[in-house]
């Protein structure tokens, strides 16, 4: 074991840094997609899963026992993303451990994998193959087969959880879709009446500026912009697009009797297709992510979601270092000062009864604090 200095006597009883727990105390729900290494997962059987005794969680993801421990400590509902290859035995054992060790007052959000519609992940290819094998879609349209398999496999997973939990009272059964393409949502929720076995439709209505050599605007153009120009574009073009996606998916959710929630949300300013290698662009997008105006855009984003009747939002992500691959974290480090987008997110959560405390460097706890 490699143990952080000052934690030698307590790491076995509490593996969490006190600053991490203090920052997120009061949060409603934690989506464990990245914790579980959901994308491109190879886990298929219960014997494949990570366990607390593993020397590292960097290969298979974080052990279920550890995720449940965090949910219990923070009194936060866990949102689990079931690996796309997981067999029924894995799902049943997973559900049993959650039932037996999670605080009974907490809800359990259940989702099949992550972005199965997204061709950049192996779960998309797998779902297409399985869908074709089950005759759920045409062989020449594996993407349709993948949508339909998402519906069918999701319901199969829900049924196992319902059996283990003795009903649906503690479950939130999620059908996920692509925010920018409401047609996909309807294909998933309506296939074999999947909506009748679910509680929510989940989308990721990012407020985006994905910049590549062939995008409009392209890398050369955006790299020459000021921070104000970047944020003006986000406010005048990206935000209205995001709101339109919210509206269209809300219509589908209502049509099929589902709540609308966000599996991911927030800004999406990033280079791609080679654009990520433009250092000028990367530095510009980092400055935009730290700017006060982005906080105002977040305020408008959250307000629009509320006005449309949206439910839970899971922002992507909480804490992560900003790089050429994106500035996803609300803050970069555990002791970072508050960014405007972090402030906006905490304010919005507070308005809906989540007792989060805005954490500043001066009130970050250390191992020696009471």
């Amino acid at each position: 074991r490699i143990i952080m200095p000052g934690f030698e006597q307590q790491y076995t009883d509490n593996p969490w840094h006190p600053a991490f727990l203090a920052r997120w105390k009061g949060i409603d729900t934690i989506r464990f997609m990245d914790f579980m290494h959901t994308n491109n997962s190879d886990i298929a059987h219960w014997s494949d899963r990570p366990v607390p005794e593993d020397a590292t969680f960097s290969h298979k993801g974080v052990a279920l026992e550890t995720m449940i421990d965090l949910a219990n400590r923070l009194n936060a509902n866990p949102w689990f993303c079931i690996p796309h290859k997981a067999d029924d035995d894995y799902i049943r054992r997973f559900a049993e451990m959650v039932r037996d060790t999670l605080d009974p007052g907490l809800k359990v959000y259940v989702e099949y994998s992550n972005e199965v519609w997204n061709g950049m992940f192996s779960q998309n290819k797998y779902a297409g193959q399985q869908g074709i094998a089950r005759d759920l879609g045409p062989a020449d349209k594996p993407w349709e087969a993948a949508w339909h398999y998402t519906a069918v496999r999701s319901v199969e997973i829900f049924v196992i959880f319902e059996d283990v939990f003795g009903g649906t009272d503690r479950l939130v059964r999620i059908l996920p879709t692509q925010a920018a393409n409401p047609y996909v949502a309807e294909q998933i929720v309506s296939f074999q009446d999947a909506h009748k076995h679910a509680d929510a439709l989940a989308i990721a209505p990012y407020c985006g500026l994905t910049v590549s050599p062939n995008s409009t605007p392209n890398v050369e153009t955006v790299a020459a912009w000021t921070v104000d120009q970047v944020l003006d574009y986000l406010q005048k073009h990206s935000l209205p697009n995001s709101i339109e996606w919210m509206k269209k998916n809300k219509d589908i959710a209502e049509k099929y009797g589902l709540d609308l929630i966000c599996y991911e949300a927030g800004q999406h300013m990033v280079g791609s297709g080679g654009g990520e290698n433009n250092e000028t662009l990367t530095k510009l997008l980092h400055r935009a992510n730290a700017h006060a105006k982005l906080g105002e855009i977040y305020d408008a984003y959250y307000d629009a979601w509320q006005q449309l009747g949206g439910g839970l939002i899971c922002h992507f992500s909480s804490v992560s270092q900003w790089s050429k691959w994106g500035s996803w974290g609300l803050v970069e480090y555990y002791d970072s000062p508050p960014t405007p987008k972090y402030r906006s997110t905490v304010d919005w959560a507070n308005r809906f009864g989540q007792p989060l405390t805005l954490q500043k460097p001066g009130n970050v706890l250390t191992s020696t604090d009471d």
Side-chain angles (χ1 to χ4, degrees):
R1 292 288 183 267
I2 299 174
I3 305 166
M4 198 172 188
F7 293 86
E8 298 87 345
Q9 305 304 316
Q10 64 191 75
Y11 78 96
T12 55
D13 296 326
N14 181 2
W16 307 100
H17 195 288
F20 177 80
L21 296 178
R23 187 183 290 277
W24 303 114
K25 183 179 181 181
I27 200 75
D28 181 87
T29 299
I30 305 170
R31 185 170 183 255
F32 284 118
M33 186 273 290
D34 273 345
F35 266 47
M36 297 180 71
H37 287 201
T38 303
N39 294 325
N40 309 311
S41 174
D42 287 325
I43 292 176
H45 312 294
W46 190 242
S47 58
D48 300 332
R49 74 186 188 93
V51 295
E53 294 75 25
D54 287 346
T56 177
F57 289 153
S58 65
H59 178 54
K60 295 181 178 180
V62 177
L64 177 56
E65 294 91 334
T66 307
M67 293 187 286
I68 292 172
D69 177 74
L70 178 61
N72 285 339
R73 288 178 190 274
L74 292 179
N75 193 39
N77 303 313
W79 180 326
F80 297 116
C81 299
I82 303 300
H84 63 279
K85 295 181 181 178
D87 61 20
D88 288 357
D89 177 69
Y90 173 97
I91 296 165
R92 182 168 295 277
R93 290 172 181 248
F94 189 106
E96 289 172 346
M97 184 178 292
V98 175
R99 177 199 63 193
D100 294 344
T101 59
L102 182 70
D103 185 319
L106 295 173
K107 293 279 190 178
V108 181
Y109 288 72
V110 184
E111 177 187 7
Y112 175 54
S113 189
N114 172 67
E115 294 194 352
V116 183
W117 52 265
N118 192 334
M120 70 181 292
F121 299 131
S122 64
Q123 53 261 37
N124 171 260
K125 181 178 180 181
Y126 176 87
Q129 292 170 340
Q130 293 297 311
I132 291 169
R134 292 199 190 189
D135 199 26
L136 302 177
D140 62 339
K141 295 182 179 180
W143 57 90
E144 288 190 9
W147 302 337
H148 296 161
Y149 183 74
T150 298
V152 170
R153 189 57 179 155
S154 293
V155 171
E156 291 172 351
I157 291 168
F158 301 157
V159 168
I160 294 172
F161 268 82
E162 291 164 19
D163 182 57
V164 170
F165 276 81
T168 61
D169 288 350
R170 292 186 60 196
L171 302 178
V172 180
R173 301 161 298 171
I174 299 161
L175 292 172
T177 189
Q178 181 183 13
N181 192 348
Y183 175 79
V184 177
E186 190 142 22
Q187 288 291 306
I188 292 172
V189 302
S190 66
F191 190 74
Q192 295 187 3
D193 288 335
H195 64 96
K196 293 182 178 179
H197 308 277
D199 303 296
L201 174 66
I203 61 173
Y206 280 114
C207 190
L209 176 58
T210 303
V211 189
S212 72
N214 299 317
S215 64
T216 303
N218 62 21
V219 172
E220 184 178 350
T221 299
V222 177
W225 282 357
T226 64
V227 171
D228 283 339
Q229 285 177 295
V230 170
L231 294 171
D232 281 347
Y233 182 91
L234 214 67
Q235 187 174 49
K236 296 175 182 177
H237 297 276
S238 305
L239 181 59
N241 284 339
S242 297
I243 294 172
E244 189 64 21
W245 297 340
M246 295 174 190
K247 289 178 179 176
K248 290 180 177 179
N249 282 284
K250 178 62 175 175
D251 288 344
I252 293 171
E254 288 187 345
K255 177 180 177 180
Y256 291 94
L258 299 171
D259 294 331
L260 184 67
I261 62 177
C262 286
Y263 68 83
E264 291 172 16
Q267 64 77 38
H268 196 293
M269 293 183 283
V270 64
S272 69
E276 70 277 6
N277 296 320
N278 186 304
E279 292 187 12
T280 300
L281 175 68
T282 296
K283 290 177 181 178
L284 174 67
L285 298 183
H286 287 183
R287 292 198 301 274
N289 265 275
H291 198 278
K293 187 173 180 179
L294 184 60
E296 298 172 9
I297 294 171
Y298 262 59
D299 290 343
Y301 179 82
Y302 290 141
D303 287 343
W305 176 257
Q306 177 192 352
Q307 290 165 10
L308 289 169
L312 175 74
I313 292 177
C314 285
H315 183 278
F316 187 81
S317 66
S318 53
V319 179
S320 64
Q321 187 175 1
W322 301 353
S323 71
K324 69 179 184 179
W325 304 113
S327 309
W328 308 112
L330 288 168
V331 293
E332 287 197 77
Y333 307 103
Y334 83 95
D335 57 352
S336 293
T339 62
K341 62 181 180 179
Y342 168 59
R343 289 178 180 273
S344 174
T345 303
V346 171
D347 287 346
W348 190 82
N350 288 162
R351 282 163 53 191
F352 291 92
Q354 297 178 53
L356 286 171
T357 301
L358 190 69
Q359 294 294 312
K360 304 175 182 179
N363 65 344
V364 169
L365 299 175
T366 69
S367 63
T368 57
D369 289 327
D370 292 335

